[in-house]
Amino acid sequence: MGLYHSVYRAYGFEIPAVDIDTLDAALADQPDGERLGRVHHQYLGDFEKTFLLTECKEVEACDFARLTPDDFQRYELPVWNTVLHNMAVRLGHEVHPEPAWLLIHDHS
């Protein structure tokens, strides 16, 4: 068995474990997704941690990603916060961390 190693620069938050079929169904049903932005998910390890994300870009090996003050002033942030919250509520997690810029390092 090989190991998979990846790093992502993303915006969102961690949620408690959710049944994968429930998560996939909720993420597939985003009628305003094209207009407001789609929510995605990312797992760490063998499904130990689950994240709801809007912006997510992989950082390639031997490369880097920059977080700048402009990232914290992006016009999309209020909408992203809303769609992330709404998805968390749909999944039964009314209480969740505030969305934030994350560096997600997966080694599974």
Side-chain angles (χ1 to χ4, degrees):
M1 178 176 126
L3 291 175
Y4 181 72
H5 177 78
S6 57
V7 176
Y8 299 93
R9 176 188 181 275
Y11 187 79
F13 51 78
E14 182 183 3
I15 61 168
V18 176
D19 174 73
I20 193 164
D21 293 330
T22 302
L23 180 58
D24 286 345
L27 292 173
D29 181 26
Q30 297 184 58
D32 290 329
E34 297 308 314
R35 185 171 59 87
L36 300 177
R38 294 189 64 78
V39 176
H40 309 278
H41 75 287
Q42 180 69 41
Y43 295 111
L44 280 185
D46 293 327
F47 308 102
E48 286 96 9
K49 294 183 180 266
T50 305
F51 294 86
L52 292 181
L53 308 168
T54 52
E55 178 80 7
C56 185
K57 296 194 177 174
E58 186 169 6
V59 179
E60 298 295 327
C62 298
D63 202 357
F64 68 96
R66 216 174 277 235
L67 276 178
T68 69
D70 289 341
D71 289 311
F72 298 92
Q73 301 301 318
R74 288 182 67 158
Y75 72 91
E76 301 100 326
L77 290 177
V79 173
W80 288 352
N81 292 344
T82 299
V83 297
L84 286 163
H85 172 73
N86 291 346
M87 184 60 67
V89 169
R90 285 178 61 190
L91 293 167
H93 302 294
E94 292 80 15
V95 178
H96 54 76
E98 288 294 316
W101 286 103
L102 306 170
L103 180 63
I104 300 173
H105 183 182
D106 186 27
H107 195 184
S108 54

